[in-house]
Amino acid sequence: MMKRIYMDNAATTQIDPEVVEAMVPYFKYKYGNASSLHSFGREAYEGIEKARKQVAELIGASQNEITFTSGGTESDNMAIKGIAYKYRDRGKHIITSQIEHPAVLETCNFLESVGFKVTYLPVDKHGLIDIESLTRCITKDTILITIMHANNEIGTIEPVREIGEIAHEMGVIFHTDAVQTVGKIPVDVEKLNIDLLTLSGHKIYGPKGVGVLYKKDSVQIQPLIHGGGHERGLRSGTENVPGIVGLGKAAELSKNRLPDDSAKLTVLRDRFINRVLNEIEDSFLNGHPTKRLPNNAHFRFSGIEGESLILSLDDKGIAASTGSACSSKKLAPSHVLMAIGLNEVQAHGSLRISLGRNNTKEDVEYACDSLVEVVNRLREISPLWGKGRVTAAASEGGRSED
Ligand SMILES: *Cc1c(COP(=O)(O)O)cnc(C)c1O
């Protein structure tokens, strides 16, 4: 069988065998409803509360500040709409960035349609927001700042500690989508001045369909899902016990492995980036050169169509992504790549490699060898390559700029 190498860990991760093992009893034997008073119910309840502790410890929170949801998308909705509805009498202005995940952007778009005002902050060519511009945007009407911890496409890490500091000075609530950073870089809600934080199970080697919204005790939100009053009334519905238990285990493993994982990934990422930039002409790194996720390498290649690149790599058993998983089935160029100033052709010639805990040095060497070969072959048959090449390279201003 052909070797298969998974390098699309920003889209989802392989569930850890220890996580599966932790979940199995909750499918097979511990199937009680966590609200029931009998021993079956208590077993399920205890599973959930252990998971709550495991997640709280991963991000420096208290257990009562952790709410389980159906995933990152729901947590983003719950935070943003929850604050908007709760504090609408205080103000109707929300600040976010142009490079947020659709779960944030579309929620903000929706809120605009029901009378809120949203500022979408631009980013620089590396994908960083500007703290001074942010500060200037805050008005008496501002109730929420929601800016992601790290971008899921280009891997740029935003200055959330400073953002939180300014938010608090101005009396504004701060939410961050930390789906891509939790488990990869240290995330401590106290140190980073975070009031609300989103994380997702399947991005940290846990199960799909389960996530968390951290909410600081002193901050209130309007619940979105009404019913039997589960999760302290914040999120009704019988709990996804196996999923929650799995997320708890994944959080515990992430906490224990973070220093090793992060160091190992950084080495592999840098090897990947160096080989590509050195061995493929007219290749460029998208995102910030240093303030980036330890597992993210995002490139653009002149004269290449991202889709063809993904399919050719797939033929070699390598799973990567063009743009982002969410936009790769649409024809529109990624909103993130447009926001960092790429044109449509450049955006379509981009490739995201997101490494994972299971990738080895051999995987990276094989993927780089394959990428070099595939890019050269695609360029030979590309109408975009050749004549346009000199201008493409010149207009990029050279590699050093990146
Ligand atoms: C994957 C992702 C989400 C969505 O999480 P789901 O659990 O898949 O709903 C939200 N934000 C970011 C940054 C992501 O990468």
Side-chain angles (χ1 to χ4, degrees), residues 142-249:
T142 310
I143 51 173
L144 175 70
I145 296 171
T146 172
I147 290 179
M148 66 198 330
H149 194 182
N151 184 265
N152 48 302
E153 295 189 38
I154 56 176
T156 301
I157 299 171
E158 302 296 338
V160 288
R161 191 179 55 77
E162 289 85 347
I163 297 170
E165 198 169 283
I166 283 159
H168 292 167
E169 271 170 30
M170 310 293 272
V172 178
I173 294 164
F174 176 44
H175 165 251
T176 191
D177 177 334
V179 169
Q180 293 291 340
T181 49
V182 165
K184 297 195 196 83
I185 61 174
V187 176
D188 183 299
V189 289
E190 291 293 329
K191 288 187 192 144
L192 296 177
N193 304 314
I194 294 164
D195 297 315
L196 299 131
L197 174 144
T198 293
L199 67 88
S200 171
H202 73 103
K203 305 289 176 85
I204 60 166
Y205 310 92
K208 294 173 179 63
V210 60
V212 157
L213 180 67
Y214 156 81
K215 180 183 74 64
K216 190 191 257 179
D217 215 16
S218 54
V219 169
Q220 295 187 337
I221 57 170
Q222 171 67 50
L224 303 185
I225 301 183
H226 301 95
H230 307 77
E231 295 294 283
R232 305 175 317 288
L234 291 176
R235 204 277 186 180
S236 288
T238 302
E239 299 86 348
N240 168 10
V241 183
I244 290 169
V245 166
L247 172 49
K249 187 68 189 177

Side-chain angles (χ1 to χ4, degrees), residues 2 27 33 56 58 73 138 145 165 184 187 193 212 220 276 306 341 355 369 372:
M2 186 178 60
F27 286 113
N33 183 320
L58 176 63
T73 301
I138 301 174
I145 296 171
E165 198 169 283
K184 297 195 196 83
V187 176
N193 304 314
V212 157
Q220 295 187 337
V276 168
L355 303 169
D369 291 343
V372 171

Side-chain angles (χ1 to χ4, degrees), residues 25-220:
Y26 291 87
F27 286 113
K28 284 188 169 172
Y29 321 111
K30 303 186 180 185
Y31 48 79
N33 183 320
S35 304
S36 302
L37 294 177
H38 45 64
S39 66
F40 290 86
R42 284 199 305 275
E43 245 164 24
Y45 175 82
E46 281 157 18
I48 292 173
E49 293 315 306
K50 181 177 173 192
R52 207 183 299 284
K53 184 158 186 281
Q54 288 164 318
V55 173
E57 282 172 359
L58 176 63
I59 59 170
S62 313
Q63 274 160 258
N64 64 344
E65 296 173 319
I66 302 297
T67 303
F68 291 108
T69 67
S70 68
T73 301
E74 186 186 327
S75 298
D76 283 341
N77 272 267
M78 186 171 166
I80 299 167
K81 291 178 193 162
I83 291 294
Y85 294 156
K86 188 76 193 181
Y87 295 96
R88 65 192 314 161
D89 293 334
R90 191 192 285 181
K92 286 212 159 62
H93 180 227
I94 295 167
I95 301 174
T96 185
S97 83
Q98 292 178 359
I99 63 166
E100 297 299 310
H101 189 274
V104 168
L105 283 180
E106 294 298 323
T107 301
C108 288
N109 285 344
F110 164 76
L111 286 174
E112 280 186 289
S113 77
V114 294
F116 288 87
K117 247 194 90 214
V118 181
T119 302
Y120 299 89
L121 286 174
V123 293
D124 69 11
K125 65 176 181 174
H126 293 134
L128 279 179
I129 69 134
D130 177 50
I131 292 284
E132 276 169 31
S133 319
L134 167 72
T135 311
R136 277 197 301 272
C137 289
I138 301 174
T139 69
K140 281 208 301 289
D141 207 33
T142 310
I143 51 173
L144 175 70
I145 296 171
T146 172
I147 290 179
M148 66 198 330
H149 194 182
N151 184 265
N152 48 302
E153 295 189 38
I154 56 176
T156 301
I157 299 171
E158 302 296 338
V160 288
R161 191 179 55 77
E162 289 85 347
I163 297 170
E165 198 169 283
I166 283 159
H168 292 167
E169 271 170 30
M170 310 293 272
V172 178
I173 294 164
F174 176 44
H175 165 251
T176 191
D177 177 334
V179 169
Q180 293 291 340
T181 49
V182 165
K184 297 195 196 83
I185 61 174
V187 176
D188 183 299
V189 289
E190 291 293 329
K191 288 187 192 144
L192 296 177
N193 304 314
I194 294 164
D195 297 315
L196 299 131
L197 174 144
T198 293
L199 67 88
S200 171
H202 73 103
K203 305 289 176 85
I204 60 166
Y205 310 92
K208 294 173 179 63
V210 60
V212 157
L213 180 67
Y214 156 81
K215 180 183 74 64
K216 190 191 257 179
D217 215 16
S218 54
V219 169
Q220 295 187 337

